Amino acid sequence: MAIPKFPQVPPLSLEQIRALTMLAFYQDVKPEPCDAIFVFGGSHPGNWQHPLQAYNHGLGKRIIVTGGTSSWRMTHRDWNGVAGSEAEWIVSKLIENGVPEDAIVYETKSKSSFENVSEAKTIVNFTKIKSLLVICKSYGTGRQIRTLQKQLPKNMSYIPYSFDTAFDDEPLLTRLTWHQTEKNRALVFGEYLRILHYGNQGQIAPSNQPIEGLENAHLAYIT
């Protein structure tokens, strides 16, 4: 059984909420220039708006875009790239807004965060890159940076440049407010379950500090 997008969330203490915030949203750090901008696939406007902003602010001269079709088969309501892959849509919006085509490399085969990275490795020599500015949804930052940490050279550094999202008619999901609604709580708790599960599988860098009282929460979904 796969971990669902919206798993059942147990009652959470304030300490557990703080720990979940750190694991799911990762560190809240000031952006700084990196060797390249790495874009995890997705259909949210932030998937192209944020790398565009980062490029225009001089935070990276090269943009690595990933994304075929999400295995969740869920798209943002503003998605207008139905005929192509997520990466092709993101690239088209970047070029449309002034990013030179030769500043972008992209892949169109991946269907998950793990594949976003593994497919990117087929088109980019990451041994010549020392730092990445990472573009992704804020609540998935911890899992996705752990994916990079596992698959890319050990001396690589990562700076998150994430964006907040709102699912359906829910309030904006942020590191400060995610625990205030049932659906947003489920989204973030699902990220924690995946960090545990994929860490155990060896797909991502594992969390060395599982949250007390929630150490085995993922086992209910794994057969």
Side-chain angles (χ1 to χ4, degrees):
M1 181 187 301
I3 296 170
K5 189 75 171 177
F6 299 99
Q8 184 175 355
V9 185
L12 300 173
S13 68
L14 289 177
E15 187 57 38
Q16 288 172 331
I17 288 173
R18 293 189 192 99
L20 284 166
T21 300
M22 282 300 299
L23 281 173
F25 289 84
Y26 201 66
Q27 303 169 6
D28 187 14
V29 297
K30 183 179 180 180
E32 59 183 63
C34 294
D35 293 339
I37 299 168
F38 188 97
V39 185
F40 277 94
S43 61
H44 191 283
N47 286 92
W48 68 265
Q49 292 171 348
H50 243 52
L52 175 65
Q53 183 183 78
Y55 182 85
N56 287 337
H57 287 173
L59 297 177
K61 295 181 179 180
R62 187 183 189 192
I63 305 177
I64 303 165
V65 181
T66 67
T69 303
S70 170
S71 58
W72 291 107
R73 300 200 177 278
M74 299 168 67
T75 58
H76 189 272
R77 58 180 171 269
D78 293 338
W79 165 255
N80 60 0
V82 176
S85 66
E86 293 170 351
E88 289 170 314
W89 173 69
I90 293 168
V91 169
S92 70
K93 299 300 287 186
L94 292 174
I95 294 173
E96 179 183 323
N97 284 274
V99 178
E101 188 171 352
D102 60 7
I104 305 169
V105 293
Y106 66 98
E107 65 79 24
T108 62
K109 297 179 180 179
S110 59
K111 296 184 179 182
S112 66
S113 296
F114 179 83
E115 291 182 3
N116 286 163
V117 183
S118 61
E119 290 295 334
K121 289 164 63 178
T122 68
I123 60 170
V124 176
N125 181 1
F126 284 99
T127 63
K128 296 184 178 181
I129 297 174
K130 300 302 181 185
S131 59
L132 286 176
L133 191 77
V134 182
I135 310 292
C136 57
K137 296 181 179 69
S138 59
Y139 73 92
T141 304
R143 176 173 55 84
Q144 294 186 312
I145 285 186
R146 283 180 172 83
T147 305
L148 293 164
Q149 289 171 336
K150 181 67 176 182
Q151 294 198 58
L152 297 188
K154 300 302 181 184
N155 62 345
M156 189 86 71
S157 63
Y158 305 98
I159 302 295
Y161 196 71
S162 59
F163 55 92
D164 295 326
T165 58
F167 193 90
D168 293 336
D169 296 323
E170 291 289 299
L172 194 66
L173 196 167
T174 76
R175 68 185 303 124
L176 297 178
T177 64
W178 66 267
H179 56 278
Q180 295 176 357
T181 71
E182 181 178 352
K183 185 169 281 189
N184 284 349
R185 286 165 75 94
L187 282 168
V188 172
F189 190 64
E191 285 299 313
Y192 173 65
L193 299 178
R194 291 180 190 89
I195 288 172
L196 291 179
H197 178 50
Y198 297 145
N200 287 344
Q201 284 191 325
Q203 289 190 16
I204 70 175
S207 168
N208 295 324
Q209 295 181 321
I211 299 171
E212 185 174 354
L214 302 174
E215 299 93 335
N216 298 313
H218 64 299
L219 298 181
Y221 300 96
I222 305 304
T223 57

